[in-house]
Amino acid sequence: MSFPEPKFIEANGLKLAVYEQGTGVPVVMCHGFPELAYSWRHQIPAIADAGFRAIAADQRGYGRTVDATTGKIPAAIEDYDMEHLTGDMVAMLDELGIDKAIFCGHDWGGFVVWQMPLRHPDRVAGVIGVNTPFIARGPIDPIEAMRATMGEDMYIVFFQKPGAADELFGKDIAKSLRFWYRKSAVTLEDFDNAAPDAAKNLALAKLFEVPEEEWGGDPLLTAEEAAYYHEAFTSTGFTGGLNWYRNFTRNWERSKDLPEKVNVPCLMISAANDVVLRPELTEGMEQFCPDLEKHIIPDCGHWTQAEKPDELNALITDWLKRRFA
C-alpha cells in the first residue's frame, strides 16, 4: 500500500497536511525531529490493515503544513510551544469529527503524546510511546540541567541558539539527512565503554563535522525515501523543528500546575540501542502510568519505525487489538 496523499484541513491557525488510511478506532501518529508524517510510512498501512483508522500529520513547522494565513511555517519561536503542539492535535480531531483517539509518538512526537492526556484528557483513549518515555516534570529548568551535566555542546543546549543549528544543518540538507538517518552503530554497552566524549555528551554538531566515513552505522534511507525527505526540508528548512527544542524552558515553566498521571491504557516500546532515549529511562513510569505495558526491541537504534518496522508494527497492532478492538 503506497503512502497516501494528504488532505488539508484548517486547524489551530494552520493549513495542516493530514495523511490517513483505514477505518475504525482512530490512532494518531506524531513524528519527531527531523521527521515527517512520512516517517510513519511503514506503520500507517499496518495499523489500517489491523482494523484501525491510521492518521498522521506533518506537524507544525514540517513538510506541507503551513500557517493558514502566510502560507509559510509559523514565524515565532513561541508558536512551537507545547500548548500549540497539543492544541494542533485537538483542532485536528475537531475537524475530522473525532471525539477521542489513541496517540502514538516517536522522539519529540513522544513528548507531545504523553502531554496530551495531561492537557486534554477528554480527547485521549490511549498512549503509545515509541522510544520516548513519560518523563515527569523536573525541579529545575531542563536546559539548565542539561547544560550543567553535559555542557554547551550537548545538542539540545546547542539548539537553543537561534540560527546556529539552522545554518549548520541547512547548508547541505542531503548531508544532514545522511547524518541523522543511520542505523544503530553500537550497542549501549559499547557506547558507554568506548564512545568518544563528544558522542557521550551528545555533541551532535561536533560529530557532524567529523568525516562522513567515520560516522558509523549503515545509511537507513533508500534513494526514494531520502529524496522525499530532501524535498520536504528543502522547502521548510530545519528552523520549525528546531523551534520545538527552543521551547523546553517555556514548556517547563508553563507546566507547573499540570497533573502527572496518565489515566488511560499505555504502551511503551523502547529500542535497545537508542543512545539518546535509552530503555532505562522508562524505569519508574508505572507510578505515572498505572496501566502500562513495556517492551524493548533488540538490535535497534533511534529510528525504530524504519529500522525495525515489522517488530514495531507487531507490538503496536497486537496491543491495539487486545485493548481497543
Side-chain angles (χ1 to χ4, degrees):
M1 191 179 292
S2 61
F3 190 68
E5 285 297 311
K7 65 179 177 182
F8 293 91
I9 62 175
E10 298 270 337
N12 205 25
L14 299 175
K15 181 183 176 185
L16 193 67
V18 180
Y19 307 75
E20 61 174 309
Q21 287 176 354
T23 59
V25 176
V27 180
V28 174
M29 286 157 272
C30 297
H31 66 76
F33 175 88
E35 297 187 278
L36 302 161
Y38 184 71
S39 300
W40 300 103
R41 60 195 174 277
H42 303 295
Q43 285 67 53
I44 289 174
I47 289 171
D49 288 346
F52 295 84
R53 183 179 178 184
I55 303 167
D58 289 334
Q59 290 177 259
R60 180 175 290 257
Y62 286 95
R64 298 170 74 175
T65 288
V66 293
D67 184 285
T69 301
T70 67
K72 301 177 181 179
I73 65 168
I77 289 175
E78 293 79 11
D79 289 342
Y80 297 85
D81 67 10
M82 193 59 75
E83 290 167 55
H84 282 88
L85 299 178
T86 58
D88 294 343
M89 295 298 98
V90 171
M92 182 182 75
L93 295 187
D94 290 343
E95 290 299 316
L96 295 176
I98 295 171
D99 179 32
K100 287 187 176 185
I102 300 149
F103 283 87
C104 174
H106 171 256
D107 188 78
W108 243 108
F111 291 123
V112 174
V113 304
W114 288 117
Q115 285 289 304
M116 286 295 297
L118 308 186
R119 296 169 182 268
H120 306 283
D122 57 330
R123 310 306 297 269
V124 181
V127 179
I128 303 169
V130 180
N131 297 51
T132 311
F134 179 92
I135 298 176
R137 185 180 187 274
I140 64 171
D141 177 348
I143 298 300
E144 290 308 312
M146 286 182 261
R147 180 177 282 117
T149 57
M150 303 183 81
E152 291 288 341
D153 293 327
M154 188 270 186
Y155 76 102
I156 295 176
V157 178
F158 172 65
F159 286 178
Q160 301 306 302
K161 306 169 186 174
D166 320 47
E167 180 180 357
L168 177 66
F169 297 120
K171 64 187 176 185
D172 188 340
I173 289 172
K175 177 185 175 183
S176 297
L177 293 172
R178 292 194 303 272
F179 175 75
W180 295 111
Y181 283 104
R182 307 186 79 80
K183 295 181 182 179
S184 174
V186 295
T187 65
L188 280 188
E189 183 179 7
D190 288 343
F191 177 84
D192 290 340
N193 291 334
D197 289 343
K200 289 183 178 179
N201 291 334
L202 303 179
L204 298 190
K206 290 198 170 192
L207 296 174
F208 185 66
E209 302 295 358
V210 169
E212 192 166 339
E213 60 270 17
E214 298 178 21
W215 285 349
D218 294 328
L220 187 59
L221 303 178
T222 67
E224 180 182 2
E225 291 167 339
Y228 190 103
Y229 282 100
H230 189 273
E231 180 181 2
F233 285 103
T234 297
S235 175
T236 63
F238 293 104
T239 297
L242 290 165
N243 281 344
W244 291 34
Y245 290 91
R246 292 167 183 150
N247 279 282
F248 260 104
T249 296
R250 178 179 173 84
N251 293 336
W252 177 77
E253 290 171 345
R254 296 169 72 88
S255 65
K256 62 183 178 66
D257 295 323
L258 285 179
E260 289 205 308
K261 191 73 75 173
V262 182
N263 291 312
V264 294
C266 299
L267 174 64
M268 181 66 227
I269 302 170
S270 299
N273 295 328
D274 188 337
V275 301
V276 177
L277 296 169
R278 302 165 68 103
E280 60 260 35
L281 293 175
T282 69
E283 294 172 5
M285 272 182 64
E286 291 81 359
Q287 65 179 301
F288 304 103
C289 310
D291 184 352
L292 176 66
E293 183 174 320
K294 296 197 292 190
H295 298 274
I296 299 174
I297 297 178
D299 190 30
C300 185
H302 181 70
W303 310 106
T304 308
Q305 306 104 300
E307 194 169 342
K308 295 287 184 178
D310 293 342
E311 293 87 338
L312 178 62
N313 294 349
L315 289 171
I316 289 175
T317 56
D318 173 69
W319 182 78
L320 288 172
K321 289 176 180 178
R322 283 189 286 111
R323 301 306 303 268
F324 295 97

